[in-house]
Amino acid sequence: MISLVSAGKVLWVLHVAAWYVLRRPFDRRARKVNLTVDRRKGADTARLAVSLAGLGIIPAIYVATGQPHFASYPASTILFLLGIASGILSLIMFRLTHKALGKMWSVSLQLKQDHKLITTGIYKYLRHPMYTAFWLMALTQALLLPNYVAGLAGIVGFGYLFFSRIGPEEVMLQEAFGEEYSRYRARTWRVLPYVY
Ligand code: SAH
């Protein structure tokens, strides 16, 4: 029988692959629209690199080689099952956010030609539901990979992007949409209803 450790690794790979496949068509369409504001700069590229290392490269090394061995701990069925649940939830959230944001989506801090403020779909309740989906993705990684370094790398890597980007992103949208954004901000939560 396949061990829980191997099953967790397989599911982690499938989860990332599913995320990639789900995002691709939206990414293609969104890239066709010209940018009017581009605040990508060095800081945001660094954030994306740290996030990629934590959510992708470090866990991929662990899945392929088992490294770093010293940080491994025994797998647990309950964590594994919770990992499956959060993985499914994260994919559902990614789909909802891409559907709602459509061509207004970009990987970095950018505004598109004729950028519209999206306040419908999942954005009716949350201002940053895609970041909620990424938090769930990082949680899934922590639950599926029984290794302190590989498992927690996603939370640390994405956490860095999240906490350093959310301020500048809201400033950019505030400058672009003024009063409309103030009102939207007043009636929504950032990533988790009733909490944050
Ligand atoms: N922070 C959002 C979006 C992430 S994608 C989320 O977590 O769901 C990043 C880009 O989305 C930003 O460059 C910004 O231009 C755009 N964006 C963020 N919120 C938006 C909104 N409510 N309407 C339109 N575009 C938005």
Side-chain angles (χ1 to χ4, degrees):
M1 230 186 74
I2 180 172
S3 74
L4 209 50
V5 175
S6 305
K9 288 180 176 181
V10 169
L11 283 182
W12 177 78
V13 171
L14 285 177
H15 181 237
V16 174
W19 165 79
Y20 182 77
V21 168
L22 187 152
R23 164 167 284 195
R24 240 169 87 97
F26 294 103
D27 187 23
R28 282 212 180 138
R29 263 171 267 151
R31 274 175 202 272
K32 290 196 183 124
V33 188
N34 292 330
L35 301 177
T36 52
V37 173
D38 190 357
R39 298 202 181 161
R40 175 146 189 169
K41 293 188 259 181
D44 208 53
T45 301
R47 284 178 200 130
L48 287 165
V50 171
S51 190
L52 176 70
L55 287 169
I57 297 168
I58 293 170
I61 290 172
Y62 165 75
V63 165
T65 68
Q67 295 286 357
H69 286 294
F70 75 88
S72 285
Y73 57 87
S76 116
T77 309
I78 185 86
L79 294 185
F80 177 79
L81 294 176
L82 287 172
I84 294 176
S86 82
I88 292 170
L89 205 60
S90 106
L91 292 174
I92 293 173
M93 284 296 284
F94 273 119
R95 168 131 187 107
L96 290 174
T97 56
H98 275 292
K99 272 197 86 150
L101 259 193
K103 293 180 177 172
M104 300 301 120
W105 175 77
S106 53
V107 272
S108 191
L109 294 179
Q110 291 148 342
L111 292 175
K112 302 294 179 80
Q113 200 154 16
D114 302 316
H115 203 100
K116 305 230 172 4
L117 183 66
I118 307 290
T119 60
T120 51
I122 184 82
Y123 286 85
K124 204 160 130 187
Y125 311 100
L126 295 172
R127 294 202 290 287
H128 304 286
M130 194 175 286
Y131 296 159
T132 311
F134 272 111
W135 275 121
L136 285 168
M137 184 185 228
L139 179 66
T140 303
Q141 176 181 333
L143 292 168
L144 290 179
L145 305 180
N147 181 284
Y148 289 113
V149 173
L152 299 180
I155 292 175
V156 174
F158 178 69
Y160 172 69
L161 177 141
F162 176 80
F163 286 109
S164 65
R165 186 198 259 185
I166 197 152
E169 181 167 334
E170 293 200 343
V171 167
M172 178 183 79
L173 292 165
Q174 182 73 53
E175 284 171 14
F177 297 101
E179 186 58 22
E180 191 187 357
Y181 195 68
S182 303
R183 270 182 277 129
Y184 176 54
R185 210 173 160 159
R187 66 173 190 267
T188 48
W189 296 84
R190 272 178 160 172
V191 293
L192 195 61
Y194 304 106
V195 180
Y196 183 69

